[in-house]
Amino acid sequence: MDVHLLVYDLSGGLARQLSMAMLGFQLDAIYHTSIELQGVEYVYDGGINTIRPGSSHLGQPLERIFLGHTELPLEVIVEYLESLRDIYTPEAYDLFRHNCNNFSNDFSTFMLGRGIPEHIANMPQAVLDSPFGKALQPQLARMVEQRKAQQGGLLGIQNNQVQVNSATAPSSTGVIEVFNLDALKTALQSAANKSAVIFFTSATCPPCKTLYPLYNELAAEYGKSVALIKADISRAYDVAQQYSISATPTFLTFVRGLHQESWTGVNTARLRGTVQLLAEMASGPAHQHRLLHLPILSNPESRATLFTKVPPLQKLLSKLGSHADSAAIQGMKNFIEARSVNGPAMATLPDLPAFSKFLINASTDLPRDLLFTVVDLFRCGLVDPRLSGYYAEEQGHKTIITLLETVNNDPDSPYALRLVTLQMACNLFSSPLFPDQILRQLPLRTAVTQLISSSFLDDSHNTIRVAAASLLYNVAHEHSQRTQQSKDSLPEEDQIELAASVLEAIAQEDSSAEALHGMLLALGLLAYCMPMDGELIDLLRTMDAQGTIMAKKKHFPAEPLLTEVGAELLGKGLVRK
């Protein structure tokens, strides 16, 4: 897919005429930019919006600059954009420091590995550095806040329901909006392994609009197992004809691609009850583990473990000597410091290709006892989903695998390097894109598995085993989520290898309650809702997993997971039905 930068001039030509006299330097335009991809314009104003190119009140762009070609699938791009919504919020918009150009730069960096032209990206700071810009800053800031309060953003650009790859991307609530038959077919195909509801509505249907809040609420609650689709037949004429829709609101339901029922009219109780039932039907018969008392393992609010603490960076980098003066290192340092002090919205991505090159070279050029400094710097940066999202789609995951194999291939790897490498790998999970890469890509998965297994063998450092358990927990958590959603998950041979490794580590653990807790949690998530006729359950029975875990009661009597995982999951949960 070709990626273009759309460039607008907010001054309407006045910047070119007056900038020299007012600012002291020539400025060709007050740049507003957006990214065009497959006939869709992605823009930051009052949040991340999608519109038809040139359809806002700004009119046609001043320039349309070809930035490059991306091979990333559109669904990956959409998921990346969703991960940025907490950074590019309406409230976070800042005319000089966090604006449309920052968004375009981040988006371009993710897709292409490089940002937008520097003269555009640097324009706000150049204006701010001028005496006239400094004098105007307070008035401009007040103007922006007033506009945001009145219209949600500086320019008032709103989604105009542009279709993305024949279907609109899910909104923040999870509703999928479609505007033609091809879009609807695509949405239904993507829901072939779960349930789906089609809400046929119309722009001239007031009763339909009363159901929108409820439909959004249901999509947010049940979107993982039920695709809630909205089709506006006042625009999608072919959809209305295909499904013989003559009145709105009308609803059709599907389970695993098969049509179930339909009804017309406003009936909130039926809509809510039907969606709840569809969610249950999509998941199939309840796994026997769901009937057990497993409050920790079944907690829907559980999240990946991230290591977010930022050390004093100046002190950390002082160990590097002259290497610390590298532009790549200083760029990452400035990014982390800006993010820590002012929040992610005020932190501009550094030159990631240059930083990757430095990391790869450092793995062979730096002494092993100093390499931990740059890996720890990387760890701090990866907390940001823009950074982890970029590395999730790096060709061959060269940077990450290089760092992992540096530790894996050195049995005498220094303690500090192994620790920060484990923590760095945990922080890859800050982006929703990376777990999928770890589960699907064999070289990356192999490197992660080896790092976990070898780190469990370190009986001298509790912190190493805690970090290894945290990394395994992140992998097992993602595996468990996918298993319960009937999605592709961790291959069975990897499940067995990791389960055997962590079970052996549990048997040997006698000093760290924190490490044991993490190990039990990871093993529990690997086993939760596992196939009852698979090889993993055979392994757990053969290795007497329950006996191994319950034996820990003597040294760790206060650990609640000993009962939940040992007695409940691996006791009652291993019983053959």
Side-chain angles (χ1 to χ4, degrees):
M1 293 180 285
D2 289 341
V3 181
H4 288 88
L5 182 73
L6 303 186
V7 183
Y8 300 85
D9 179 12
L10 297 182
S11 74
L14 290 177
R16 180 184 292 272
Q17 300 174 32
L18 304 176
S19 58
M20 183 61 73
M22 300 178 70
L23 300 175
F25 60 90
Q26 183 61 40
L27 187 66
D28 291 334
I30 301 296
Y31 297 112
H32 164 79
T33 63
S34 55
I35 295 292
E36 180 187 348
L37 186 70
Q38 279 203 330
V40 177
E41 183 175 350
Y42 296 85
V43 58
Y44 173 47
D45 183 60
I48 299 173
N49 293 300
T50 55
I51 63 175
R52 291 183 180 82
S55 65
S56 76
H57 59 275
L58 298 177
Q60 293 301 307
L62 183 70
E63 290 184 90
R64 184 173 182 264
I65 302 173
F66 175 70
L67 296 178
H69 186 84
T70 181
E71 299 292 342
L72 294 177
L74 190 60
E75 58 266 25
V76 169
I77 293 172
V78 170
E79 190 169 8
Y80 172 77
L81 287 175
E82 286 298 311
S83 74
L84 298 191
R85 290 194 182 277
D86 289 339
I87 296 175
Y88 286 95
T89 64
E91 298 77 18
Y93 188 96
D94 184 285
L95 183 61
F96 292 103
R97 297 181 179 86
H98 190 64
N99 52 49
C100 56
N101 300 325
N102 298 102
F103 168 74
S104 298
N105 190 72
D106 287 354
F107 195 11
S108 175
T109 298
F110 169 71
M111 292 188 291
L112 305 172
R114 57 185 178 276
I116 65 177
E118 289 189 3
H119 73 280
I120 296 177
N122 295 336
M123 180 271 297
Q125 190 61 47
V127 173
L128 193 59
D129 288 342
S130 70
F132 189 72
K134 291 177 181 177
L136 280 181
Q137 186 180 2
Q139 294 94 319
L140 290 172
R142 284 195 293 271
M143 180 268 291
V144 170
E145 292 305 314
Q146 290 171 356
R147 291 277 186 91
K148 285 160 64 175
Q150 293 168 359
Q151 55 193 26
L154 175 63
L155 304 175
I157 295 176
Q158 302 292 329
N159 282 331
N160 63 11
Q161 310 302 340
V162 64
Q163 58 183 64
V164 178
N165 195 25
S166 300
T168 56
S171 67
S172 58
T173 63
V175 173
I176 302 169
E177 301 191 40
V178 299
F179 301 97
N180 57 46
L181 189 57
D182 287 340
L184 181 55
K185 288 179 179 178
T186 299
L188 288 174
Q189 287 171 0
S190 67
N193 293 323
K194 58 182 184 180
S195 300
V197 180
I198 307 175
F199 176 4
F200 296 97
T201 181
S202 170
T204 57
C205 172
C208 296
K209 296 177 181 179
T210 66
L211 294 172
Y212 290 174
L214 173 60
Y215 205 62
N216 292 342
E217 175 189 330
L218 293 171
E221 184 174 356
Y222 296 103
K224 289 185 177 181
S225 53
V226 182
L228 281 91
I229 304 166
K230 186 190 294 181
D232 184 347
I233 64 170
S234 63
R235 299 173 61 185
Y237 303 111
D238 52 351
V239 169
Q241 182 177 6
Q242 175 70 24
Y243 287 90
S244 302
I245 304 300
S246 57
T248 56
T250 293
F251 296 87
L252 265 65
T253 65
F254 299 80
V255 175
R256 300 187 182 276
L258 299 177
H259 176 232
Q260 299 296 308
E261 62 174 336
S262 60
W263 76 92
T264 299
V266 176
N267 188 331
T268 57
R270 181 172 185 179
L271 177 59
R272 181 182 292 278
T274 298
V275 172
Q276 291 173 338
L277 179 60
L278 288 171
E280 295 175 3
M281 294 173 68
S283 61
H287 193 288
Q288 68 184 62
H289 289 175
R290 296 182 187 275
L291 306 178
L292 302 175
H293 181 62
L294 304 170
I296 299 176
L297 295 179
S298 61
N299 178 15
E301 302 301 320
S302 58
R303 297 290 182 269
T305 297
L306 304 180
F307 290 86
T308 60
K309 185 177 180 179
V310 177
L313 296 183
Q314 196 64 39
K315 181 179 179 181
L316 176 71
L317 297 181
S318 67
K319 297 177 174 61
L320 282 176
S322 61
H323 293 289
D325 298 329
S326 162
I329 291 294
Q330 289 299 312
M332 182 62 73
K333 172 180 174 289
N334 294 338
F335 170 75
I336 294 167
E337 289 178 336
R339 193 181 191 280
S340 300
V341 174
N342 302 314
M346 295 297 115
T348 302
L349 283 179
D351 186 341
L352 296 181
F355 186 71
S356 297
K357 183 178 180 180
F358 185 96
L359 282 174
I360 292 171
N361 291 336
S363 68
T364 54
D365 295 346
L366 281 181
R368 282 290 185 269
D369 58 346
L370 291 183
L371 183 56
F372 84 93
T373 57
V374 291
V375 177
D376 202 30
L377 189 71
F378 191 28
R379 169 193 66 82
C380 296
L382 284 171
V383 171
D384 193 295
R386 292 171 292 179
L387 215 73
S388 51
Y390 171 84
Y391 284 101
E393 301 304 325
E394 183 188 33
Q395 184 69 33
H397 303 108
K398 184 177 180 181
T399 303
I400 302 298
I401 290 179
T402 296
L403 296 178
L404 297 179
E405 290 185 343
T406 297
V407 175
N408 288 338
N409 295 336
D410 182 5
D412 299 318
S413 181
Y415 159 73
L417 177 58
R418 180 175 289 274
L419 178 63
V420 297
T421 301
L422 285 162
Q423 294 174 342
M424 176 272 293
C426 286
N427 287 0
L428 298 174
F429 288 78
S430 68
S431 168
L433 299 177
F434 228 113
D436 183 64
Q437 295 296 319
I438 291 175
L439 294 185
R440 289 196 300 109
Q441 301 297 327
L442 178 60
L444 183 61
R445 189 172 69 248
T446 299
V448 169
T449 300
Q450 184 179 348
L451 180 65
I452 293 170
S453 299
S454 61
S455 298
F456 277 147
L457 300 177
D458 187 337
D459 56 7
S460 301
H461 302 100
N462 291 348
T463 51
I464 292 290
R465 299 194 302 281
V466 169
S470 298
L471 180 54
L472 178 54
Y473 162 76
N474 285 356
V475 173
H477 179 268
E478 184 66 22
H479 162 75
S480 178
Q481 294 291 312
R482 289 168 178 259
T483 298
Q484 294 175 61
Q485 296 168 21
S486 300
K487 294 182 179 179
D488 291 339
S489 54
L490 198 64
E492 190 169 44
E493 58 269 24
D494 292 278
Q495 297 176 43
I496 292 171
E497 180 178 350
L498 288 169
S501 176
V502 71
L503 195 56
E504 182 179 350
I506 289 170
Q508 299 298 320
E509 187 58 61
D510 57 9
S511 60
S512 173
E514 186 178 5
L516 180 68
H517 181 84
M519 295 170 185
L520 290 170
L521 192 54
L523 178 62
L525 288 173
L526 284 173
Y528 183 57
C529 291
M530 62 184 166
M532 300 305 290
D533 57 353
E535 293 184 24
L536 178 58
I537 196 169
D538 290 340
L539 172 80
L540 296 175
R541 288 175 177 140
T542 301
M543 294 185 67
D544 187 22
Q546 182 187 20
T548 299
I549 290 172
M550 297 310 294
K552 297 283 111 178
K553 277 276 190 181
K554 180 179 179 180
H555 291 98
F556 303 95
E559 174 53 61
L561 281 173
L562 290 174
T563 298
E564 183 167 328
V565 177
E568 194 77 4
L569 179 62
L570 300 182
K572 300 175 183 177
L574 294 191
V575 175
R576 293 181 173 87
K577 296 293 185 181

